Amino acid sequence: MQKAKSKATPKPAAVVAEPAKVRIKLVRDSFTMPREDFERIARLKSRAIDLKRPVKKSELLRAGLQTLERLDDAGLLVVLNALQSIKTGRPKKRH
């Protein structure tokens, strides 16, 4: 009498290992910018929400830096020259 073959058990799906997360050293800083630029950030955050991709202010700033870095020298100069110059430092306290 032959033994009935047992049904082969399916092999578990290969486990895909997530890449090891590299710790990124963070730096905290503060700076001053015109109100118009803060409003720009708010508008961009709103657009991102409409695109179903909520974003933090720091993510927008990082994305902007990465975009600027991709420009050639002439393009970077055009963007930098279009910026309004502002006085750096903290605003004086009003009495």
Side-chain angles (χ1 to χ4, degrees):
M1 197 172 184
Q2 286 186 352
K3 224 178 191 183
K5 284 187 176 180
S6 62
K7 291 186 179 182
T9 57
K11 293 182 181 179
V15 177
V16 179
E18 289 187 29
K21 292 190 177 188
V22 178
R23 271 221 133 140
I24 299 171
K25 184 166 179 142
L26 302 177
V27 178
R28 186 151 179 84
D29 196 4
S30 64
F31 52 90
T32 303
M33 69 171 55
R35 179 175 306 279
E36 181 180 293
D37 290 338
F38 273 101
E39 291 167 356
R40 249 186 209 110
I41 290 171
R43 286 192 304 271
L44 288 168
K45 286 176 73 169
S46 178
R47 283 178 61 189
I49 288 171
D50 291 345
L51 296 170
K52 309 285 189 270
R53 172 51 168 93
V55 67
K56 297 175 184 172
K57 179 170 49 175
S58 63
E59 291 174 313
L60 283 174
L61 296 177
R62 290 172 49 220
L65 290 172
Q66 291 177 18
T67 302
L68 285 171
E69 193 173 44
R70 289 188 206 113
L71 295 176
D72 61 9
D73 290 346
L76 180 60
L77 259 177
V78 167
V79 173
L80 293 176
N81 288 336
L83 285 177
Q84 177 185 359
S85 183
I86 61 171
K87 184 177 175 183
T88 58
R90 293 187 176 268
K92 290 183 180 180
K93 291 185 179 179
R94 294 182 182 183
H95 298 302

